[in-house]
Amino acid sequence: MDLPGFSLDMASLQESPRPDADETYDVLILGGGPASMSAAVYAARKLLKTAILTRDFGGQMLETSEIENWLGAQSIHAKDLISQFEEHVKSFEVPVLEGQSITGIKKEDDLFKITMDSGEVYTGKSVILTTGKRHRPLGVPGEKELGGKGVAYCATCDAPFFKDKRVAIAGGGNSAFTTALDLLKANARVSLINFIPGWQADEFIRQQVDKYEKSALYDNHQVVEIQGADKVEAVKIKDRSTGEEKTIEVDGVFVEIGLLPNSELVKGLVDMTDSGEVVVDCSCRTSLEGFFAAGDVTTVPHKQIIISAGEGAKAALSAYSYLVNKFQL
Amino acid sequence: MSMIDKKQKKQLKDLFQKLENDVNIIMFTQEFECRHCKTTREMLEEVSDLTDRVKLKVLDFVEDAAEAEKYGVDKIPATIVKGEKDYGIRFFGVPAGYEFTTLIEDILMVAKGVPGLAGDVLEEVGKIDEKVDLEVYISPTCPRCPKMVKAAHKLAMANNNITAAMIEAAEFPHLIQKYEVQGVPHTMITEEYGFVGQIDEKQLATEILVALGKKSPEESEFMHEHEHEHHHEHE
């Protein structure tokens, strides 16, 4: 593979101030994806006392390569777009706590208390939850045991290790087909395995995959087991219409079967759907006063960067209205 | 052709104006340069040309074998970022793609002379009282990898017992095979203890302590893998 050149991420070279645990913030933003960063810019521009608590910047954008539907950029590297977002946020000197996980969220009187795994507690008059989603695992035997040993979830990271090899991809949507393309470009032989009948991916990307001869499609098939002693050796699949089982010898399995909302922390605190998405109204309000949510963690349809960014902006403006009414800010 | 584009050179020049101390970069290549050796050397020459503070010394892996041994360099291209002191910060293979930023962050960190870790992290790192050589296998297009390499480099800077190397996996196929690297970032702490995925500095220190047998495997995020590796060893 050709070298990708030298990429300078100016945003990560800039340090942000650390949030102060003794301070009461107007708004605490939980998460670091496009919804979070957009909310931070809008909150900062309203001069709200804002802090971001996040594991990292970029969220799910960290797991993709080229982005071709961000308005104004016909094609941009995900990491470059994250860097631009991050620089924008950092230009307001918004305090950021990065790299820690949140362990507790509660509301006491009119204030929210956010506990971090270090034990530190941050206080806010309002909260915007933008914790996004994470990869849904297959939940089949062999998946956990062979994680990093052929079972992979990030094509842009791990595709180079499957050059000239055989790979199964679980999934039938756009991300499964994007993964297939990344692997086909590395000259891998790919088998796409789709649980539900009918491919969900856009026609445009399916046509790109069809151009390669080294792809096999298994529609309406279920992954039953991932086999291998120390690394992936085969995947067992089942035809869901006939019940017939089949073992395909592969060196890797990429899992692209959708996402789970990162909403466990607010279970019982706000209303959510059975699948765990936080219910919001069109002003990004949840069932709990002062607690807003935006982006992929919510019930807003169509999980897209541009939609998340828009939702984040809306959540910040809604939080601003709330603060003005409630606290006469 | 220039390795680093004009805009980046300007950004780097601005950044380097803040350097308070000299940073020494030692690079090992050889007379008939491998493709990535040449790329690495040319990139480093361009970086060091941007400021008087960054001093580059290019050595020959064969002719300067004694120096190579001193720095623990057993493969090339190898890049060492040091101040007056060698903290054990290494890059094997070209720091290209997203890892270029890691190299720049290391230059800034070494010039500052402190790893910039919080108190509780420093405390955990301070408990490591045996020699540990960390190896972080990466691919240059992996967005989470720079964080893992940076964490390892920070720990190396914070504790003399630790050295930490970025390894560009594709350039060293024998190591990929040896450690069965199939996903990145893949970190090896000792020959037996490795894990895949990005963790923060504190958890990395904890993993090292677990690998050294100074902490219970229950404190590891990858305990099942550890058991697996162990099991494998006795087979």
Side-chain angles (χ1 to χ4, degrees):
Chain A
M1 262 188 150
D2 276 341
L3 271 180
F6 296 96
S7 144
L8 186 61
D9 177 4
M10 285 300 289
S12 76
L13 293 166
Q14 255 171 290
E15 279 181 31
S16 292
R18 241 180 108 92
D20 184 347
D22 296 328
E23 190 75 67
T24 297
Y25 288 93
D26 292 327
V27 55
L28 291 173
I29 301 172
L30 316 183
S36 154
M37 292 189 271
S38 175
V41 167
Y42 272 79
R45 285 172 58 87
K46 286 284 184 197
L47 301 182
L48 297 178
K49 196 175 279 184
T50 307
I52 300 176
L53 313 175
T54 183
R55 205 173 83 92
D56 52 38
F57 277 112
Q60 290 168 70
M61 288 171 75
L62 283 169
E63 265 134 49
T64 188
S65 43
E66 286 299 311
I67 289 166
E68 296 177 338
N69 50 14
W70 177 256
L71 193 64
Q74 287 176 26
S75 177
I76 185 165
H77 250 303
K79 185 94 189 193
D80 292 337
L81 190 57
I82 297 169
S83 190
Q84 289 178 13
F85 288 176
E86 203 181 325
E87 265 189 88
H88 198 168
V89 171
K90 285 182 172 175
S91 71
F92 294 100
E93 297 192 353
V94 175
V96 176
L97 186 72
E98 208 181 333
Q100 286 193 30
S101 308
I102 297 162
T103 56
I105 301 174
K106 62 180 175 184
K107 192 177 185 186
E108 285 173 3
D109 302 320
D110 284 330
L111 293 179
F112 292 93
K113 300 277 181 187
I114 314 293
T115 310
M116 308 304 296
D117 58 2
S118 63
E120 278 171 319
V121 179
Y122 293 93
T123 308
K125 292 176 185 166
S126 70
V127 169
I128 301 174
L129 182 80
T130 65
T131 43
K133 287 191 164 180
R134 62 177 182 278
H135 275 286
R136 189 154 79 88
L138 273 166
V140 299
E143 183 184 23
K144 208 172 173 189
E145 296 81 350
L146 295 165
K149 293 169 180 166
V151 176
Y153 302 85
C154 174
T156 175
C157 309
D158 300 340
F161 298 107
F162 297 91
K163 190 174 176 281
D164 305 323
K165 297 201 171 161
R166 302 156 304 178
V167 182
I169 301 164
N174 282 337
S175 43
F177 276 79
T178 310
T179 297
L181 265 188
D182 279 349
L183 287 158
L184 288 164
K185 283 179 194 155
N187 202 36
R189 183 175 287 278
V190 309
S191 304
L192 278 149
I193 300 153
N194 191 23
F195 185 77
I196 41 177
W199 303 90
Q200 308 94 279
D202 295 340
E203 191 59 35
F204 179 73
I205 188 161
R206 281 172 55 197
Q207 282 176 6
Q208 285 178 291
V209 169
D210 281 344
K211 283 187 197 142
Y212 290 85
E213 281 173 13
K214 286 180 150 187
S215 62
L217 302 179
Y218 296 91
D219 197 14
N220 200 20
H221 276 67
Q222 175 182 3
V223 176
V224 180
E225 186 186 356
I226 300 169
Q227 300 167 334
D230 286 324
K231 53 183 177 186
V232 171
E233 287 161 16
V235 60
K236 195 199 258 183
I237 61 170
K238 186 167 106 183
D239 188 325
R240 295 182 62 231
S241 55
T242 64
E244 199 180 317
E245 289 196 338
K246 182 179 171 157
T247 303
I248 318 172
E249 281 184 32
V250 290
D251 307 289
V253 178
F254 279 73
V255 183
E256 294 290 350
I257 54 162
L259 302 158
L260 289 175
N262 295 314
S263 61
E264 287 82 353
L265 278 165
V266 293
K267 214 173 171 182
L269 194 69
V270 298
D271 289 349
M272 54 178 76
T273 62
D274 290 343
S275 64
E277 286 181 347
V278 173
V279 178
V280 288
D281 66 9
C282 58
S283 299
C284 298
R285 286 180 295 211
T286 69
S287 58
L288 181 64
E289 195 190 28
F291 197 94
F292 301 83
D296 284 9
V297 74
T298 72
T299 46
V300 165
H302 311 305
K303 312 308 185 198
Q304 297 291 317
I305 297 168
I306 198 157
I307 291 175
S308 286
E311 290 290 306
K314 210 162 62 173
L317 297 174
S318 297
Y320 177 72
S321 308
Y322 165 77
L323 291 162
V324 169
N325 290 327
K326 181 93 182 174
F327 299 93
Q328 284 78 46
L329 193 71
Chain B
M1 207 188 83
S2 180
M3 292 285 147
I4 310 167
D5 71 33
K6 255 191 189 155
K7 184 184 157 213
Q8 293 182 334
K9 278 189 179 165
K10 198 191 163 296
Q11 289 174 322
L12 287 173
K13 247 189 172 153
D14 290 345
L15 273 175
F16 288 161
Q17 275 180 353
K18 289 179 236 152
L19 295 181
E20 287 165 14
N21 296 295
D22 286 352
V23 175
N24 298 302
I25 297 183
I26 297 168
M27 192 235 156
F28 284 89
T29 178
Q30 63 187 10
E31 194 181 348
F32 294 102
E33 286 187 306
C34 61
R35 183 170 147 241
H36 290 325
C37 290
K38 186 170 182 284
T39 308
T40 307
R41 178 179 53 75
E42 289 178 355
M43 176 273 290
L44 289 172
E45 283 169 356
E46 287 177 24
V47 168
S48 68
D49 279 349
L50 298 171
T51 167
D52 292 339
R53 284 289 190 198
V54 176
K55 300 183 191 321
L56 173 67
K57 191 160 139 191
V58 179
L59 296 176
D60 187 296
F61 186 49
V62 181
E63 277 173 31
D64 302 306
E67 288 279 298
E69 203 188 318
K70 182 181 127 193
Y71 287 109
V73 168
D74 58 359
K75 50 190 168 288
I76 50 171
T79 305
I80 294 149
V81 182
K82 58 186 280 241
E84 264 179 55
K85 196 178 133 195
D86 179 14
Y87 298 104
I89 297 170
R90 307 278 185 273
F91 293 86
F92 292 104
V94 56
Y98 300 141
E99 295 305 333
F100 180 58
T101 305
T102 312
L103 173 77
I104 303 303
E105 286 188 276
D106 282 343
I107 291 173
L108 300 178
M109 176 175 79
V110 165
K112 253 192 204 163
V114 286
L117 292 169
D120 58 329
V121 185
L122 281 173
E123 195 187 315
E124 189 80 350
V125 180
K127 294 177 194 157
I128 300 163
D129 57 3
E130 277 179 52
K131 290 272 172 219
V132 183
D133 298 317
L134 301 175
E135 292 182 333
V136 184
Y137 290 83
I138 59 97
S139 58
T141 51
C142 158
R144 285 188 197 275
C145 288
K147 279 235 164 85
M148 197 61 237
V149 177
K150 191 68 205 301
H153 282 169
K154 279 185 178 178
L155 260 56
M157 179 135 195
N159 185 327
N160 285 334
N161 289 316
I162 304 170
T163 72
M166 176 213 84
I167 300 184
E168 204 271 289
E171 291 176 57
F172 306 103
H174 62 290
L175 293 175
I176 300 188
Q177 205 141 43
K178 183 177 173 190
Y179 297 120
E180 291 175 343
V181 176
Q182 284 194 308
V184 285
H186 183 122
T187 306
M188 294 303 300
I189 296 179
T190 61
E191 293 267 314
E192 303 89 45
Y193 190 102
F195 60 89
V196 184
Q198 179 232 324
I199 54 174
D200 64 26
E201 294 98 354
K202 192 174 179 183
Q203 189 60 35
L204 177 59
T206 305
E207 298 294 341
I208 296 172
L209 290 165
V210 173
L212 296 177
K214 293 177 195 298
K215 272 203 162 178
S216 148
E218 275 164 31
E219 301 203 38
S220 164
E221 275 188 21
F222 308 94
M223 190 183 57
H224 61 280
E225 280 195 41
H226 187 206
E227 282 175 346
H228 182 73
E229 297 280 350
H230 235 77
H231 175 66
H232 181 59
E233 238 189 4
H234 295 291
E235 264 171 9

